[in-house]
Amino acid sequence: MTFTGEEIRYMAGQRLGRLATVDKDGVPQNNPVSFRVLADGVVEIGGWNMGKSRKFANVRERPQVSFVIDDIASVDPWEVRGIEIRGRAEAVEGLPVDPKRPQMSGEVIRIHPRRIRSWNLEGVSSARWV
């Protein structure tokens, strides 16, 4: 599944999103995280000591996730905009540390989108499933 040009531009201008995972007991967890979108449309989430985090363990147990990136474009008039990405995530270990991002560990979560919903990006809203 690919992102539209508007979605790519929007995500490139954002620094944080919120990743929702579910633990082995079915309890949800939602965390602010940094991210980037890879050329193939996979969303990669990294961080400090990612491999030791609850969200990393949750993805190993239950790979279904939801990821939201949003902001307030205007307060007068009120306008929120954003993207929700649902999909299958994978917990990836053993990656070399990127010299451009030395604060990131060698573990990441990669989200393979199955559903993308965006709203108010350059006046356009969209929803699609794989």
Side-chain angles (χ1 to χ4, degrees):
M1 173 162 267
T2 59
F3 294 101
T4 67
E6 291 85 7
E7 291 165 345
I8 293 288
R9 284 188 290 281
Y10 175 73
M11 289 186 290
Q14 302 301 311
R15 295 176 186 233
L16 288 177
R18 289 179 298 281
L19 176 65
T21 62
V22 178
D23 73 13
K24 63 183 177 178
D25 298 319
V27 178
Q29 179 189 18
N30 196 342
N31 293 103
V33 294
S34 63
F35 70 96
R36 66 181 175 177
V37 180
L38 304 178
D40 61 359
V42 170
V43 177
E44 188 173 83
I45 295 171
W48 187 259
N49 287 326
M50 176 62 77
K52 295 180 181 177
S53 69
R54 276 186 53 203
K55 60 188 153 291
F56 198 80
N58 290 349
V59 165
R60 281 188 176 144
E61 291 288 325
R62 293 189 176 187
Q64 295 305 100
V65 300
S66 178
F67 184 56
V68 173
I69 307 152
D70 64 343
D71 69 343
I72 300 171
S74 172
V75 294
D76 188 18
W78 184 259
E79 182 184 350
V80 293
R81 60 187 178 175
I83 300 174
E84 178 192 22
I85 302 160
R86 294 184 192 179
R88 185 184 137 317
E90 61 179 320
V92 179
E93 299 178 88
L95 298 174
V97 175
D98 183 345
K100 295 179 184 176
R101 300 170 62 178
Q103 73 280 12
M104 304 299 213
S105 66
E107 304 86 26
V108 297
I109 293 172
R110 290 187 178 146
I111 302 171
H112 302 271
R114 303 283 165 109
R115 180 178 194 266
I116 299 171
R117 184 176 155 262
S118 61
W119 57 95
N120 294 331
L121 302 184
E122 298 181 17
V124 177
S125 295
S126 171
R128 55 209 180 278
W129 293 87
V130 169

